Amino acid sequence: MIKCYCIYLIDNIREKILGGLILKKFVIEKEFWDLFPNAKIGIIVCHGIDNTVKDENKYMEMIYSSEKEALKHLTNEDFSSNEVIKVWREAFQKFKTKKGARASIEALLKRVSNGNHLGAINPLVDIYNSISLRYGLPCGGEDIDKFAGDIRLTKALGNEDFVTLGTNESAPPYEGEIVYKDEEGAICRCWNWREAVRTMLTEDTKNAFLCIELVDEKRLADLENALNHLAKLVQENLGGECSVSILDINNNSACLL
């Protein structure tokens, strides 16, 4: 387990260099907790991983296995009536979202329910997608080395730069939209709907920030199991070191080194 020690200077400037890396934090701000006081955000900080593709078939098999497991979350024939879908649709109604935006877990489960397979992207993304399907929880990840300063989960101001995959034009979030952001702009819009190209995980990623989000507090055990399973798969397949923690309204920040 990596232990993080955040150093605060008296002039409120925090800049400690460790092995050439600037200490960064993940902070969940009050604006988020005002909407979701009972939410839990599980995070895994990974350092020194090897995310290059060596055996694509291994990760496709992992995804296929998880797609079968995911069916246990879809016992109701009416897709939107399944609890894992309902809780996130209700959550998205609490803040302004882009029309048609859905939680990432809904998008994955929709593909499975339609009989479509997920494709391989890169090992780390394939691993967290398999965990997302298996446990029915939204999972995401970003490259820590591409963050500009601290990363925050908060309400958007509405002027944050945001360029997603497949376009060169910025599409800023709405004012009040829940986003992950840093000093250069939004990292993920509509909480976990769509990520920016700037910080996305690639085969060159060495240090990664992974998160699993929970709005249904009855499923805390599932969150804990998913986090531990994800960390185990990352270390077994990609090496490096992983630090696991769960943030809530009383414990709202973590270091990324």
Side-chain angles (χ1 to χ4, degrees):
M1 182 73 71
I2 300 173
K3 294 183 178 180
C4 299
Y5 300 92
C6 295
I7 297 178
Y8 296 87
L9 302 182
I10 58 173
D11 58 358
N12 293 323
I13 298 176
R14 177 185 42 78
E15 186 176 308
K16 183 172 176 63
I17 306 298
L18 297 175
L21 296 175
I22 297 177
L23 185 63
K24 300 173 184 177
K25 286 181 66 183
F26 170 51
V27 181
I28 307 176
E29 297 190 332
K30 180 180 181 298
E31 289 80 1
F32 173 85
W33 298 119
D34 287 343
L35 292 179
F36 302 103
N38 298 316
K40 311 285 185 185
I41 308 295
I43 66 169
I44 303 175
V45 178
C46 309
H47 287 289
I49 62 171
D50 179 0
N51 198 38
T52 56
V53 177
K54 297 181 175 64
D55 183 359
E56 184 175 307
N57 290 332
K58 175 171 67 172
Y59 299 105
M60 287 308 305
E61 290 172 5
M62 189 181 296
I63 290 172
Y64 291 162
S65 174
S66 294
E67 288 174 346
K68 294 176 182 177
E69 284 288 318
L71 296 175
K72 67 187 178 186
H73 303 296
L74 301 174
T75 56
N76 195 313
E77 289 186 10
D78 178 18
F79 180 78
S80 62
S81 295
N82 288 287
E83 191 64 21
V84 68
I85 306 301
K86 286 174 58 179
V87 296
W88 280 102
R89 288 199 179 181
E90 290 170 1
F92 271 43
Q93 290 173 2
K94 294 183 178 181
F95 59 93
K96 185 160 185 171
T97 64
K98 186 174 176 63
K99 185 177 180 180
R102 302 294 190 192
S104 64
I105 183 58
E106 176 170 343
L108 293 182
L109 289 175
K110 190 67 174 178
R111 290 180 65 88
V112 172
S113 71
N114 289 336
N116 298 320
H117 290 301
L118 272 66
I121 298 175
N122 62 58
L124 197 49
V125 174
D126 297 341
I127 289 171
Y128 80 61
N129 275 341
S130 73
I131 290 295
S132 185
L133 285 169
R134 187 174 294 273
Y135 290 92
L137 294 168
C139 298
E142 308 293 338
D143 191 319
I144 291 175
D145 297 328
K146 296 174 183 176
F147 290 161
D150 295 339
I151 176 175
R152 293 176 285 151
L153 180 58
T154 187
K155 284 185 177 180
L157 298 176
N159 60 359
E160 292 87 350
D161 186 63
F162 179 84
V163 178
T164 192
L165 194 64
T167 179
N168 293 320
E169 296 184 3
S170 179
Y174 296 121
E175 181 179 358
E177 182 180 318
I178 295 298
V179 296
Y180 289 89
K181 61 186 284 187
D182 63 7
E183 294 175 6
E184 287 191 10
I187 289 170
C188 195
R189 281 197 59 182
C190 297
W191 195 342
N192 52 42
W193 167 62
R194 188 80 37 96
E195 71 171 342
V197 174
R198 176 171 58 88
T199 58
M200 65 191 301
L201 300 170
T202 69
E203 286 191 58
D204 295 326
T205 297
K206 305 299 181 190
N207 305 303
F209 167 84
L210 306 178
C211 64
I212 304 180
E213 298 140 335
L214 182 73
V215 290
D216 182 358
E217 55 190 308
K218 300 187 299 293
R219 298 190 62 202
L220 179 57
D222 290 337
L223 173 64
E224 293 170 343
N225 291 335
L227 282 168
N228 290 329
H229 195 174
L230 178 54
K232 182 174 183 287
L233 287 177
V234 171
Q235 291 198 272
E236 286 179 349
N237 291 279
L238 310 182
E241 297 181 344
C242 293
S243 172
V244 179
S245 58
I246 296 177
L247 303 187
D248 58 29
I249 194 169
N250 297 311
N251 177 34
N252 66 350
S253 66
C255 294
L256 302 184
L257 284 178

